[in-house]
Amino acid sequence: MEITEKDVEYIAELARLELRQEEKKLYAGQLKNILGWVEELNKAKTGEVPPTAHILGLENVLRDDNPETFTDRQAILKNAPEREFDFVKVRKVIE
Amino acid sequence: MLTAVETVKLITEKKLTAAGALEQRLKLIKEKDGAIGAFLEVFEASARAQAAAIDAKACAGQPLGRLAGVTVAIKDNMVYAGHHMTCASKILEGYVAPYTATAVQRLLDEDAIIIGRANMDEFAMGSSNENSAYQLTKNPVNTAYVPGGSSGGPAAAVAAGFCPVALGSDTGGSIRQPAAFCGVYGLKPTYGLVSRYGLVAFASSLDQIGPFTTNVEDSELILSVLAAHDHRDSTSVAQPPQGTKINIRGLRVGLPAEYFSAQGGIAPEVSAAIEKVKARLCAAGAIMTPVSLPHSVYAMAAYYIIASSEASSNLGRFDGIRYGPGVKGETLSETYKKTRGRGFGPEVKRRIMLGTYSLSSGYYDAYYIKAQKVRTLIKRDFDAAFAAVDVILTPTTPTTAFKFGEKMDDPIAMYLSDIFTVPCNLAGLCGISFPAGSDSSGLPIGAQLLAKPFNESALFTVVREVERAA
């Protein structure tokens, strides 16, 4: 399993991670080793076995659509690095 | 230092005040935590306010909660309204929680005192606590050694006597492994038993909150307070089935052949300690029974794919917009990339990338779905084993604690210290690590018991028997 710096750049783009040049090199090597190690999984005979997404097998856990009020709005807003009144400020979303 | 049960008794009998109990712990923390580094922050003000409120209730003759005056440290990944939480990451520096995790609230409702937030591996990714972005935590038994991870802070806090109870979280062994390294009790409850609401999600299908304690009784008490359905956690089980009552006479204790034939190599003194546990159980009438878990060899790989994939999704929310200092870029995309590139530590970035890769188009079936199928096979192995045995006994870790820096250059070597703990989370079982002696250099050894889902009572019963026979 070959992982090049180009591959690392692609994955980092998907994951929205900015990496320095040394990091790209380091992670390419480490990811290659880790992926080589998990290649083990290919030896397991999984044939018709269903995948387990949830160990308890719970399905469609619903509740009544009754909104509750959260009273401390300012506590939430205070954590935003940039805000204006009761709005969280972000960079332009639509170019 | 008093246990939780002893503390509650003395406070309820008015032989001790909550303030008195708290000051004892705060004094010890001031004296000793400089050298250990278990706490990222001690909540002196709010803890004292809580203690005062409890003492006022006691004076007024009002009924006290089941945890009256018990000081509890919480791992830095559980929200507590009005208090900081960072998951030991720079990306959440300065964050003040607007709400409280259900597990923490349940302790508060029983008059426990939250004494502080304890250090951890960043975003719960690690097995040595070396991945914290803030400080190192040392093993209180020998400060040249790691306390384990990712709940190294909570484990160290209890081992050092800073509090009788701490809450940790366990995704692949992050409660049980540090419990073993520090010589305390660490319980991972069955998935779905304790609410995850307010626990920062690492791997949503694997995470559970659980207690660190200095004895079994306290573990049982804390679990009885934590375990409950929570409508705010849709993976919380509505009605936990009653565990089966077990008798030590004739109890079938499973010994997984694949674990004992040492994939990573079990240290001889750890093996010897497990032999002692076996001997005590036999003396009490239990029957050692070999079992086979044929898909054990795939557990680590399946775990790392599944956990990293779920983490890559869960950690997507850390974008520098709603919380954390963030790094402002020229564009929205740059804001995300710079915030995350600089705010996350190397292990976190490594796992996010592994998870992103496993879920990406072209690899999803080969990695993620494959790992989930292997998870089914691992669960079936345990189902078959539990048809033949009542509990399973293993070492918690292949070795005792290692020294700082020893495994930092080789991520895979670090991952292998979780080889005996990871399958429990994959299979949805409950597991406990309890102290089983120490090695010749004085480092603690932990033994692990696994039981069927919702059979924590079996774990408590067996540990009590082992200790009774000692």
Side-chain angles (χ1 to χ4, degrees), chain B residues 70 162 165 366 411 467:
Chain B
V70 175
F162 297 153
V165 177
E467 296 181 341

Side-chain angles (χ1 to χ4, degrees), chain B residues 76 123 160 169 221 233 250 293 302 306 368 371 380 405 436 445 459 466:
Chain B
D76 191 34
F123 285 106
S169 69
L221 173 63
D233 174 2
L293 301 169
I306 292 170
Y368 187 63
R380 287 181 183 176
I445 295 171
L459 301 177
V466 172

Side-chain angles (χ1 to χ4, degrees), chain A residues 1 3 8 11-19 23 27 30-31 33-35 37-47 49-56 58 61 63 68 70 75-76 79-82 88 90-93, chain B residues 95-96 98 191-192 205 232 234-235 298 300-301 304-305 320-325 328-332 335-338 340-341 346 349-350 352-354 356-357 367 370 372-377 379-380 412 415 426-428:
Chain A
M1 186 79 254
I3 299 287
V8 171
I11 298 165
E13 180 65 32
L14 287 177
R16 299 292 186 263
L17 293 171
E18 183 184 78
L19 299 178
E23 284 181 299
Y27 291 138
Q30 289 178 338
L31 282 176
N33 289 338
I34 295 170
L35 286 169
W37 177 60
V38 301
E39 293 284 305
E40 273 298 291
L41 281 180
N42 291 331
K43 298 194 193 136
K45 292 188 174 50
T46 49
V49 175
T52 296
H54 178 66
I55 202 70
L56 289 174
L58 294 177
V61 177
R63 59 178 167 82
E68 290 174 26
F70 182 78
I76 297 176
N79 284 312
E82 265 203 285
V88 174
V90 301
R91 281 297 193 200
K92 194 156 63 162
V93 174
Chain B
Y95 173 77
V96 175
Y191 181 84
S205 78
R232 293 198 175 95
S234 63
T235 61
Y298 305 117
M300 292 299 283
Y304 272 97
I305 294 293
I321 306 291
R322 288 154 299 163
Y323 26 69
K328 194 168 176 183
E330 286 305 306
T331 62
L332 189 61
T335 299
Y336 292 156
K337 289 186 208 172
K338 284 182 147 54
R340 293 161 63 80
K349 284 191 274 202
R350 208 165 12 246
I352 289 175
M353 287 195 284
L354 177 63
T356 305
Y357 182 84
Y367 289 100
K370 182 79 180 181
Q372 286 194 321
K373 289 180 177 182
V374 170
R375 185 175 185 180
T376 304
L377 292 177
K379 168 121 178 65
R380 287 181 183 176
I412 298 176
Y415 298 164
L426 289 172

Side-chain angles (χ1 to χ4, degrees), chain B residues 165-333:
Chain B
V165 177
L167 286 190
S169 69
D170 190 312
T171 303
S174 289
I175 289 174
R176 291 161 287 148
Q177 186 253 36
F181 279 9
C182 291
V184 296
Y185 296 70
L187 172 74
K188 186 205 86 72
T190 308
Y191 181 84
L193 192 58
V194 178
S195 172
R196 293 183 302 109
Y197 180 75
L199 169 72
V200 174
F202 162 14
S204 310
S205 78
L206 300 167
D207 296 341
Q208 268 298 270
I209 291 175
F212 286 95
T213 57
T214 57
N215 65 87
V216 173
E217 229 189 347
D218 284 359
S219 198
E220 227 177 342
L221 173 63
I222 301 301
L223 184 68
S224 73
V225 172
L226 294 178
H229 177 247
D230 183 11
H231 71 277
R232 293 198 175 95
D233 174 2
S234 63
T235 61
S236 163
V237 70
Q239 205 105 283
Q242 276 274 57
T244 339
K245 203 157 167 57
I246 57 148
N247 203 321
I248 198 70
R249 285 229 149 261
L251 184 82
R252 299 160 305 167
V253 177
L255 306 169
E258 293 80 5
Y259 288 29
F260 288 97
S261 69
Q263 290 161 55
I266 306 179
E269 288 182 281
V270 172
S271 291
I274 301 300
E275 287 304 311
K276 282 214 190 91
V277 173
K278 281 193 210 170
R280 289 187 196 144
L281 287 171
C282 285
I287 304 165
M288 299 300 123
T289 311
V291 292
S292 176
L293 301 169
H295 297 93
S296 296
V297 68
Y298 305 117
M300 292 299 283
Y303 169 76
Y304 272 97
I305 294 293
I306 292 170
S308 301
S309 298
E310 294 183 6
S312 72
S313 174
N314 283 324
L315 269 61
R317 72 195 65 195
F318 299 104
D319 55 13
I321 306 291
R322 288 154 299 163
Y323 26 69
V327 177
K328 194 168 176 183
E330 286 305 306
T331 62
L332 189 61
S333 182

Side-chain angles (χ1 to χ4, degrees), chain B residues 75-129:
Chain B
K75 188 177 183 182
D76 191 34
N77 59 358
M78 297 176 207
V79 286
Y80 178 23
H83 295 78
H84 284 98
M85 182 201 69
T86 67
C87 300
S89 177
K90 290 293 181 180
I91 214 169
L92 276 176
E93 195 163 21
Y95 173 77
V96 175
Y99 69 116
T100 299
T102 299
V104 175
Q105 191 60 52
R106 290 186 72 82
L107 296 183
L108 289 167
D109 289 346
E110 292 294 345
D111 291 332
I113 298 172
I114 306 300
I115 198 170
R117 58 187 174 97
N119 200 17
M120 55 187 279
D121 277 301
E122 191 178 354
F123 285 106
M125 298 177 184
S127 306
S128 65
N129 229 81

